[in-house]
Amino acid sequence: MLTYIIRRIILAIPILLGVAIISFLLVYLAPGDPLAQFRVPNVRPEVLDRLAEIYGFNKPLPEQFIGWITNYVQVWNPDAWGLSITYRRPVLELIAERTPATLLLMGTSLALTVVIAVPLGMLAAVKQYSWADKIVTTFATIGYAMPSFVLGTFLLYIGAIWFRVFPFGGMTSSLRVESNPLDIAWHLALPVASLAIQSIAGWSRYIRASMLEVLHQDYIRTAKAKGLSANRVNFRHALRNALIPVVTLFGLSLPALIAGAVITETIFSWPGLGSFGVTAIGQRDYPVIMAFVLLGGIAVVIGNLVADILYGVVDPRIKY
Amino acid sequence: MADRTYDDVTQLPVDDTEDIDRTEVRSYWQLARRRFVRHRLAVIGAITLAVLIIAAAVVPLVVENATGVDINKSFAAAEIVDEEGNLVLALLGYSRTGINMFTQLMAATATSLMIGFAAVLIIVFIGVVIGAVAGYAGGWVDNLLMRVVDIALSMPGLFIIIAFVAFWGASIWTIILAIGITGWTTAARLVRAEFLSLREADYVQAARALGASPRRIILRHMLPPALAPIIVAASLGVADSVVLEAALSFLGFGIGAEQASLGTLLNVAFEYLNREPYLVLFPSIVLILIVLAANFLGDGMRDALDPRQRVEQQ
Amino acid sequence: MTTVSRSVGPLLEIQGLKTHFFTQDGTVRAVDGVSFQIGHAKTLGVVGESGCGKSITSLSVMRLIERPGKIVEGSIKLNGEDLLDKSDEEMRDIRGDQVSMIFQEPMTSLNPVFTCGEQISEAVQQHTAASRREGMDRAVEMLSLVGIPDAKRRAREYPHQLSGGMRQRVMIAMALSTDPDLLIADEPTTALDVTIQAQILELMRDLREKNRMAIMLITHDLGVVAEMVDEVVVMYAGKVVERGDVRTIFGNPHHPYTQGLLHSIPRLDERVDRLEVIKGTVPSPYNLPTGCLFKRRCPFRMPICDVAPPMRQIGEEHTSRCWLTPAGEAPEVGADPTPEEAEAAGEQLTVEPR
């Protein structure tokens, strides 16, 4: 298992390198002068040349990339990912500060999704064509079709403006009560609902489809021919198999949730990575932008790895 | 055995024409149309999409100054023709600032759909080229191209689109390009998978043995059967692209008010959520309708064109 | 483990069974008025091409027909009790206990996420008071009974770790773990290699003697039938077309379809230049012919065949659904006979009483 994980990580290196190249090109090929903010009348030309030399802007592109990427892998060094132009602080530090908020948001909504979507999807599949199935399927279809910003806006209006039950945004009521869990939970409710409703919609559709496929398998007929009750057939024989593709979904939804966070965090001013990244684009904070792209790539690699490992856990046919 | 003559083809007694098996033999397209029409939601989706496209194309043309502001009309009620007898089609009334909400909505729908369809053209083009080359060539070419797909799949798509549009300036064309060059992976994988299996198909082998050029084999023998998954992916791609553009504009990185899309309207509406919440409603509904309609259409076409492929799209 | 006392009548008696499928394209009469019986400890072969309704008949006996299928008519009596009158719960107690079933595809008929032992043990625990431990012991015992070497280890393995033949042995072990009165085997050897086929048949014959159970063997392979069964039922397009003991069917087949089936198997003791085949194809279930269902393909076709032939007695314990006389000659009737005329024309023929 360990050798498998190591092999997978080694295989991921070229992909991450590719992501790094694209993120580098995205920023360096962008029109505009990275030193534009220093080109003001009282900055002497010599200073600009110095700056260009320090940042390596006067070197050819490949050389700049190699310099940048060698810095990048030295994550033990706080300056490895450069300094944020906006905050004048190490990017790594800023990212580390904002990660817990995102993980809290993601983790809560993912947990909620699993707890709600698995029974819903199963119910819809086992009682195919029933009213329960129709209700679940309709909910899932609409939830799936509703873009996250539309859903977020609706929830914000209903929860914070109409009923005035939930706060408008942010993670805490004031900076001082930062660690009060109840206050955080209160702020968490709307953004989590916004993310969870969407993923519940997607997951329950998926679980329903997976369950329906399993219910038509030969071994389900065998289980029935043994004289097992419908519950035993559904919960023991079918669910175990239907969940196999779902665990991969679990791993693969990690990056999707981060993408969802970009919008949801912005709507609810949640101080996580997503809103940080979007703000950075608005401020042309290039080191942060590049870090964010690479982080996205790392999330995908980790998500895939988690998916494959879980796959091996739930499916006895897979051995590493 | 009795002495009878048999038809060479049907192997039926030749004098038995009155009761041969008359089960209708239907062509692929007849069957596809039948399956599609039976898929009620797909038909509804197709009609919805058609109505939206026509309304979005026609309304801004027939109404003068469809997106203009007239403060005298603040909160005016719905009307089809104004006092002076001009056709205004203000079916949804006017906003606080006196905007004709229906014509503005249709103009925005036109922008959104235009971007969606144009982006899908790029997506399908890149996807088909890369998928076809990878699937036809196989070997290291396939390997290399699939690693490129892996890299593209590992990028945070929406974030890249936002950054690209922000850096290169927001216009319809940068947005279309940004969505197009980030969204082709699914199409490429579908085409590649189809080509990999078709490559081994007997009739393709036969064409190759007869000396057909790769160009002819790809265009005449392999692309047509691969069309079904491409069409399905394209219809789902329209919905995805429209939503991506709306997200971009919603976050304030899209085109400005001069050529507002549904996302731009939502961006403005979000700012006035407190005072004018009704502004959110109609752009949201149209957006959801587009996504639902395109998805139903895609599902219906998948069932109709490619009944083998029952994989639920995520 | 059966509590029902063995009555004098047949073990299984199916009468007028109709199982229809209500699809969007119309009703498919997959099983349309099938009747036959199986005596205690007897083996019955059900033969026919794919799509003739033989598998649906067996699933009907298990009451495992799913939508859009439905048993619309008839009775299925096991030891004199009609299974169609049983509640779902009563039926569950019968399934896997009094009547067990094994399927065609050993590769997909076992659940991939449970070990072989667990799956056998589950059947035992379902129908007896056995604990998990006892269930596993029984599983190991059954696995060695069906000839799986190193049964203790195999019981802990997952189906994918076993070959196809081994998996079919596991299926048999599971089916027999509760000592059923009747084993329904739906094409048990079709998916297996020829050498493995012979081993599995040998095993089934062996266990039949040991357990004194009846077998309903569904197959399209007449070789298997000749080796295994006491009595044969030939099905065509949802109906039984001929029934008789195995010697009669092989030695003196009456129905042209049965004759066609027998002619289409190669024989070692005869030299033929070309094997005969049955002309044409099975009729579409949506568009069955009127009258005799086989008439479009029948080399003996007569005007009378536009009238549906009844199942008629043509010898001792031998019935056939064909207008030909017992000697195989055309009955004397006019060009467009009514059923009554057709009946009268079939000299000395007795219509089967039921």
Side-chain angles (χ1 to χ4, degrees), chain C residues 71-247:
Chain C
I71 301 175
V72 289
E73 238 183 271
S75 69
I76 302 171
K77 287 192 178 133
L78 185 72
N79 284 319
E81 290 181 48
D82 194 345
L83 296 182
L84 301 182
D85 294 337
K86 301 278 181 193
S87 70
D88 286 352
E89 213 157 302
E90 289 169 324
M91 200 54 220
R92 280 209 300 273
D93 289 338
I94 292 168
R95 258 183 233 138
D97 188 18
Q98 283 162 266
V99 187
S100 286
M101 187 161 178
I102 54 178
F103 300 97
Q104 180 173 359
E105 280 295 334
M107 305 312 267
T108 53
S109 292
L110 288 165
N111 195 324
V113 302
F114 299 114
T115 63
C116 299
E118 281 171 338
Q119 297 189 51
I120 299 171
S121 165
E122 192 180 25
V124 177
Q125 284 171 267
Q126 181 72 26
H127 297 291
T128 63
S131 67
R132 213 186 120 71
R133 173 89 242 143
E134 290 162 343
M136 283 306 274
D137 289 346
R138 174 77 175 156
V140 174
E141 183 195 328
M142 287 310 297
L143 286 176
S144 42
L145 184 70
V146 298
I148 290 184
D150 204 358
K152 230 183 163 93
R153 182 171 63 85
R154 291 298 189 180
R156 284 195 302 270
E157 289 189 341
Y158 289 95
H160 74 272
Q161 291 164 293
L162 272 57
S163 68
M166 283 290 182
R167 285 189 222 183
Q168 198 59 296
R169 284 171 193 264
V170 173
M171 282 297 291
I172 294 173
M174 185 155 75
L176 300 192
S177 62
T178 52
D179 281 331
D181 296 333
L182 172 65
L183 174 71
I184 301 176
D186 186 355
E187 307 253 8
T189 57
T190 307
L192 303 174
D193 285 347
V194 186
T195 48
I196 310 292
Q197 274 185 19
Q199 290 174 16
I200 295 288
L201 290 177
E202 179 64 42
L203 172 69
M204 284 176 59
R205 256 201 308 263
D206 196 33
L207 293 171
R208 175 177 65 186
E209 304 308 317
K210 273 188 202 156
N211 292 16
R212 280 199 41 82
M213 68 179 175
I215 298 179
M216 176 173 159
L217 181 69
I218 293 153
T219 183
H220 64 265
D221 186 339
L222 290 166
V224 172
V225 171
E227 263 182 80
M228 292 282 296
V229 312
D230 304 313
E231 238 198 303
V232 181
V233 161
V234 181
M235 284 185 71
Y236 185 78
K239 287 190 192 300
V240 174
V241 294
E242 187 162 9
R243 231 187 81 193
D245 70 62
V246 67
R247 278 167 202 276

Side-chain angles (χ1 to χ4, degrees), chain B:
Chain B
M1 290 257 165
D3 198 22
R4 290 178 89 96
T5 45
Y6 288 91
D7 185 296
D8 283 345
V9 182
T10 60
Q11 301 217 319
L12 293 166
V14 284
D15 48 353
D16 276 358
T17 44
E18 88 281 4
D19 61 3
I20 50 168
D21 190 339
R22 291 192 196 282
T23 309
E24 245 181 283
V25 178
R26 300 184 186 87
S27 77
Y28 171 78
W29 290 106
Q30 280 174 311
L31 281 172
R33 189 165 355 112
R34 224 164 91 99
R35 279 193 296 263
F36 184 83
V37 173
R38 197 177 271 170
H39 207 300
R40 215 164 2 125
L41 284 175
V43 176
I44 295 174
I47 294 171
T48 309
L49 219 50
V51 168
L52 275 174
I53 290 171
I54 293 168
V58 171
V59 169
L61 289 180
V62 296
V63 177
E64 226 175 288
N65 197 14
T67 57
V69 178
D70 181 359
I71 200 68
N72 298 324
K73 290 261 185 188
S74 181
F75 287 130
E79 58 186 8
I80 292 174
V81 182
D82 69 2
E83 316 79 80
E84 291 148 38
N86 299 320
L87 184 68
V88 288
L89 286 178
L91 304 179
L92 300 173
Y94 295 84
S95 71
R96 188 177 53 84
T97 47
I99 291 171
N100 179 340
M101 288 200 288
F102 181 71
T103 53
Q104 186 200 37
L105 186 66
M106 286 303 114
T109 306
T111 308
S112 282
L113 285 175
M114 206 275 275
I115 292 174
F117 281 106
V120 163
L121 279 184
I122 299 183
I123 286 171
V124 168
F125 179 76
I126 302 180
V128 167
V129 169
I130 291 193
V133 170
Y136 182 81
W140 67 269
V141 179
D142 179 34
N143 240 318
L144 182 79
L145 287 174
M146 283 307 107
R147 293 296 79 74
V148 174
V149 168
D150 283 345
I151 291 168
L153 277 172
S154 302
M155 312 285 294
L158 176 63
F159 190 81
I160 300 277
I161 294 172
I162 297 174
F164 184 90
V165 172
F167 296 164
W168 294 83
S171 75
I172 286 190
W173 304 110
T174 48
I175 292 173
I176 289 171
L177 197 66
I179 296 174
I181 57 177
T182 50
W184 50 270
T185 47
T186 311
R189 286 171 136 196
L190 283 174
V191 175
R192 169 186 175 262
E194 203 74 17
F195 267 51
L196 275 181
S197 63
L198 287 172
R199 206 159 70 113
E200 308 303 328
D202 289 339
Y203 74 92
V204 174
Q205 302 278 27
R208 195 172 292 141
L210 289 171
S213 67
R215 197 183 114 95
R216 190 180 159 80
I217 291 174
I218 289 181
L219 292 182
R220 268 196 71 89
H221 296 293
M222 293 171 83
L223 206 49
L227 270 179
I230 296 173
I231 294 172
V232 174
S235 73
L236 299 176
V238 170
D240 288 348
S241 304
V242 167
V243 169
L244 269 176
E245 185 282 324
L248 190 67
S249 298
F250 176 81
L251 291 173
F253 293 95
I255 347 155
E258 69 278 3
Q259 200 169 6
S261 71
L262 292 169
T264 321
L265 297 191
L266 283 171
N267 174 280
V268 175
F270 188 74
E271 280 176 42
Y272 295 98
L273 193 59
N274 216 344
R275 283 184 289 164
E276 292 179 86
Y278 60 90
L279 287 176
V280 172
L281 203 56
F282 295 109
S284 299
I285 289 174
V286 174
L287 207 50
I288 293 169
L289 276 182
I290 292 174
V291 178
L292 277 178
N295 272 299
F296 288 155
L297 187 64
D299 285 350
M301 286 200 292
R302 176 168 44 230
D303 291 351
L305 299 176
D306 200 4
R308 289 166 295 142
Q309 188 193 356
R310 288 191 304 119
V311 192
E312 190 89 345
Q313 285 271 328
Q314 254 307 283

Side-chain angles (χ1 to χ4, degrees), chain A residues 128-129 215-230 232 236-238 240-241 244 314-319, chain C residues 59 62 64 66-67 92 95-96 99 101 103-105 108-114 118-120 122-123 126-127 158 160 171 174:
Chain A
Q128 196 188 4
Y129 305 124
L215 285 174
H216 287 115
Q217 297 292 317
D218 289 347
Y219 54 78
I220 295 300
R221 196 179 54 187
T222 307
K224 287 180 184 164
K226 273 198 270 191
L228 303 183
S229 67
R232 204 171 159 84
R236 201 175 132 86
H237 284 265
R240 264 297 302 273
N241 283 285
I244 291 174
V314 293
D315 190 343
R317 284 164 293 188
I318 312 279
K319 280 277 166 287
Chain C
L59 287 171
M62 295 295 277
L64 285 175
E66 282 178 38
R67 293 215 311 185
R92 280 209 300 273
R95 258 183 233 138
V99 187
M101 187 161 178
F103 300 97
Q104 180 173 359
E105 280 295 334
T108 53
S109 292
L110 288 165
N111 195 324
V113 302
F114 299 114
E118 281 171 338
Q119 297 189 51
I120 299 171
E122 192 180 25
Q126 181 72 26
H127 297 291
Y158 289 95
H160 74 272
M171 282 297 291
M174 185 155 75

